[in-house]
Amino acid sequence: MATSVRYDALIIGSGQAGNPLATALAKAGRKVALVEKHYLGGSCINYGCSPVKAMLASAERMQQVATAADYGVKASAPRPDFRAIVARKDAIIQAKREGVEKNLTEEQPGITVLHGHAAFISPRTVRIALLTGEQQVVKAPLIFINTGTRAAVPPIDGLAESGFMTNEELLDLKQLPEHLLILGGGYIGLEFGQMFRRFGSRVTIVDESATLLEREDDDVCEALRGQLEADGVEFVLGARVRHVSRNADGVYTLTATTAAGERRLRGSHLLVAVGREPNTDDLGLEAAGIDTNDKGYILVNERLQTNVRGVYALGDVHPGPQFTHLSYDDYRVVRDNLLHRKRRSAKSRPLPYVVFTQPQLGRIGLSETQAQEQQLDYRVATMPVRVVGRAQETGHSAGFMKVLVDARDHLIGATVFCEQGGEIMSMIQLAMAGNLTCDQLQNMVFAHPTWAESLNNLFAKLKKAD
């Protein structure tokens, strides 16, 4: 028989919004329960940002050793110890998991962590199937859904039967793939593709679209593809995979339709990275009357409230861009509205993001395509990175920078594809938030020789858009 417990707030999912919200509510004197059926910390710590970036750091170090001769340094050809690379990643992630658990269970009284699966049985009542085998019914006037997403699996003939990896399984491999096939040319596929190519795997990225990264301008997609091809990554774009099979030796065959006819692509491992879908199908949302869209994402207003009073959805589980920093901002929106009596909205906020290839792709504001679609009056400046002094001195000369400026000389968007692209983009974001003009940035005194100094020359190249 299930025991019944009442809390002031229930948080379903230990993600980048749910964890700090639990702490904030507990500090405000609320009795909080947080339920998680997998690892504490959410996808970012366990399956996303942190483990991927840890392994990317190993791939970057290999590249530094491989190119040491270009800097006058003699070194033997690097060889990856893949088990050691994965072990380093695991140690970093375990420390993060332990930090989250300590914060939730030891450092903040008032939080009860429940390990199990939660499902609604009424608008403000949830049944939790604990991992111990027991059941608990939790009632709370405030419920926050922070269950995130999982890898989407396309309906391709033979795919399920053949077996495949998502980002979760790929991160736990103990043997380096001989030939990694990646289905999907988004940022997940690109980061993994460059990483495993630098570790020594042959890599082929297959995508139905004719270009990479659908939100980016054509010049960005071409530059990024060119860089990865220079690393040895193969691309098969404009390819619709119709069938997947796997033979007795474990070799995958992807049969795809392309503009040039049918192609068969073979590899030792297959990663599916075509997008994400929400973890909402087993939450019993229908029992609570919570509205979703046709893809299962929970519909919310600007305060992240669902259509059911007292129930909120935070992070990737509601429609919109899926980034850790936006999930954390969801927490701030709810915290300020509930606890600080500040009116804060999740709409119309900045959307910075970084693709952690090398070079990095940093983006903020509008792309040039978006500015044209909105019929804005703007000027644009584009500059190749090879002319930047810091690039010449460090040897990181690939890529380019592009900024858009409106009729009042204020920045409306930037694309920075270069070494430290994410950091340079963040500088531009700060300038946008401070309402600085392009003239101020062009004439600002930056330390020499830094990457930041490139902004002086970049804004000098502004011209009317074609």
Side-chain angles (χ1 to χ4, degrees):
M1 180 177 178
T3 59
S4 182
V5 185
R6 181 175 292 274
Y7 291 91
D8 297 320
L10 170 64
I11 299 171
I12 305 174
S14 170
Q16 295 302 303
N19 292 341
L21 181 60
T23 299
L25 290 170
K27 285 182 177 179
R30 310 288 180 94
K31 182 183 176 183
V32 181
L34 184 149
V35 58
E36 172 57 56
K37 68 177 182 179
H38 294 308
Y39 293 114
L40 293 175
S43 61
C44 178
I45 287 179
N46 295 292
Y47 317 116
C49 311
S50 296
V52 175
K53 276 53 179 181
M55 292 181 68
L56 281 170
S58 295
E60 183 176 346
R61 190 60 57 94
M62 278 202 62
Q63 182 72 1
Q64 290 172 348
V65 176
T67 58
D70 297 340
Y71 296 80
V73 177
K74 294 182 179 180
S76 57
R79 293 184 299 108
D81 182 343
F82 193 65
R83 286 185 176 271
I85 290 170
V86 173
R88 174 183 179 272
K89 177 264 297 180
D90 288 343
I92 292 171
I93 300 315
Q94 185 59 35
K96 287 179 177 288
R97 288 173 180 165
E98 292 172 358
V100 170
E101 183 172 13
K102 182 178 181 182
N103 175 258
L104 292 173
T105 60
E106 298 179 26
E107 297 180 1
Q108 187 56 58
I111 301 174
T112 299
V113 175
L114 302 171
H115 293 280
H117 172 68
F120 284 88
I121 55 178
S122 73
R124 276 173 290 281
T125 306
V126 171
R127 184 184 299 275
I128 302 172
L130 299 171
L131 296 184
T132 59
E134 301 172 305
Q135 297 217 359
Q136 191 171 114
V137 173
V138 173
K139 298 178 181 291
L142 293 172
I143 298 180
F144 306 92
I145 304 170
N146 185 217
T147 51
T149 61
R150 61 182 180 269
V153 180
I156 298 174
D157 182 41
L159 179 61
E161 296 80 2
S162 299
F164 57 89
M165 295 180 295
T166 67
N167 57 306
E168 295 184 33
E169 291 83 18
L170 185 61
L171 286 167
D172 285 334
L173 280 181
K174 297 300 186 286
Q175 297 290 333
L176 189 65
E178 177 185 346
H179 184 181
L180 177 62
L181 300 172
I182 300 178
L183 193 57
Y187 71 91
I188 293 176
L190 297 179
E191 289 181 1
F192 275 123
Q194 188 182 54
M195 176 203 302
F196 277 91
R197 179 65 195 128
R198 287 184 169 183
F199 287 152
S201 299
R202 182 182 171 190
V203 175
T204 303
I205 295 178
V206 185
D207 198 279
E208 191 167 345
S209 174
T211 60
L212 305 171
L213 299 175
E214 60 184 3
R215 285 195 295 263
E216 307 305 332
D217 293 331
D218 288 345
D219 54 356
V220 177
C221 298
E222 291 170 6
L224 190 52
R225 177 179 177 176
Q227 179 59 50
L228 266 67
E229 285 182 331
D231 283 341
V233 175
E234 303 169 271
F235 288 93
V236 181
L237 302 181
R240 185 172 65 87
V241 177
R242 297 186 294 101
H243 183 76
V244 176
S245 63
R246 190 181 186 190
N247 66 19
D249 295 326
V251 176
Y252 290 90
T253 299
L254 274 59
T255 303
T257 300
T258 73
E262 184 176 279
R263 288 195 60 177
R264 284 189 169 87
L265 307 167
R266 292 179 175 83
S268 61
H269 294 72
L270 174 61
L271 168 67
V272 173
V274 297
R276 311 288 293 176
E277 60 184 28
N279 293 317
T280 58
D281 52 318
D282 59 355
L283 293 179
L285 298 181
E286 62 285 348
I290 298 171
D291 289 342
T292 64
N293 66 12
D294 58 352
K295 295 183 178 180
Y297 289 96
I298 299 173
L299 300 176
V300 294
N301 62 15
E302 66 176 17
R303 293 189 176 193
L304 303 172
Q305 297 165 308
T306 70
N307 63 301
V308 175
R309 184 177 178 83
V311 180
Y312 295 71
L314 296 82
D316 297 349
V317 78
H318 64 70
Q322 298 177 1
F323 296 105
T324 295
H325 42 284
L326 290 187
S327 295
Y328 187 78
D329 193 59
D330 281 0
Y331 143 68
R332 291 184 290 216
V333 169
V334 172
R335 176 202 63 191
D336 286 356
N337 284 318
L338 279 179
L339 301 179
H340 298 166
R341 296 185 177 180
K342 297 179 181 178
R343 186 170 182 85
R344 187 164 180 160
S345 172
K347 305 297 182 184
S348 302
R349 55 189 172 185
L351 177 57
Y353 58 91
V354 182
V355 181
F356 284 89
T357 51
Q358 191 181 26
Q360 296 174 2
L361 172 62
R363 281 272 286 108
I364 181 66
L366 299 178
S367 67
E368 192 166 5
T369 301
Q370 291 169 328
Q372 291 169 354
E373 290 172 349
Q374 297 180 26
Q375 298 182 334
L376 298 180
D377 181 13
Y378 71 94
R379 289 184 292 159
V380 60
T382 304
M383 183 177 73
V385 173
R386 65 176 181 273
V387 304
V388 177
R390 185 66 177 161
Q392 296 165 359
E393 294 148 6
T394 62
H396 296 297
S397 57
F400 69 97
M401 303 178 185
K402 178 164 67 171
V403 291
L404 307 180
V405 172
D406 67 14
R408 297 178 300 129
D409 293 338
H410 290 125
L411 284 76
I412 57 174
T415 299
V416 186
F417 179 52
C418 73
E419 180 71 10
Q420 301 300 321
E423 308 300 333
I424 300 169
M425 175 275 292
S426 297
M427 292 179 54
I428 296 174
Q429 181 184 356
L430 286 171
M432 293 170 70
N435 214 28
L436 299 183
T437 66
C438 57
D439 289 339
Q440 287 174 297
L441 287 172
Q442 183 182 344
N443 294 301
M444 190 169 289
V445 178
F446 293 106
H448 174 79
T450 61
W451 286 103
E453 190 183 30
S454 61
L455 298 182
N456 291 150
N457 295 329
L458 175 60
F459 286 101
K461 298 181 180 296
L462 282 169
K463 63 180 181 179
K464 197 72 173 176
D466 296 333

